[in-house]
Amino acid sequence: MFEVDLFPEEVNSTEHPKAREFKKVLEAVAADFQCTLLSFEVDHGTVSFVFDSDELNAEILRVLEEK
């Protein structure tokens, strides 16, 4: 599972507009990799998510390590 501090702390729900928009992006990425977004949670600005693709997970790790 990936955990990323992405939003301000007041974004504390998957129903928040910013969180919903980011979830759409993740679902589009999952579709591109022909996999599924298994989990998506938001807790005080921290987004947690996981895909069922080793290839996509490795790509995300590579991108996060570059930051």
Side-chain angles (χ1 to χ4, degrees), residues 31-46:
D32 287 346
F33 278 79
Q34 299 177 341
C35 68
T36 303
L37 177 64
L38 296 176
S39 175
F40 179 79
E41 300 173 15
V42 179
D43 182 32
H44 294 93
T46 301

Side-chain angles (χ1 to χ4, degrees), residues 6-17:
L6 192 62
F7 302 119
E9 283 196 19
E10 54 270 7
V11 178
N12 194 34
S13 165
T14 58
E15 296 306 311
H16 189 282

Side-chain angles (χ1 to χ4, degrees), residues 44-56:
H44 294 93
T46 301
V47 178
S48 303
F49 60 93
V50 66
F51 296 98
D52 66 350
S53 167
D54 291 339
E55 178 186 1
L56 179 54

Side-chain angles (χ1 to χ4, degrees), residues 10-33:
E10 54 270 7
V11 178
N12 194 34
S13 165
T14 58
E15 296 306 311
H16 189 282
K18 289 182 180 182
R20 284 197 314 248
E21 188 63 32
F22 186 64
K23 185 177 182 183
K24 287 180 188 177
V25 170
L26 293 178
E27 290 171 334
V29 169
D32 287 346
F33 278 79

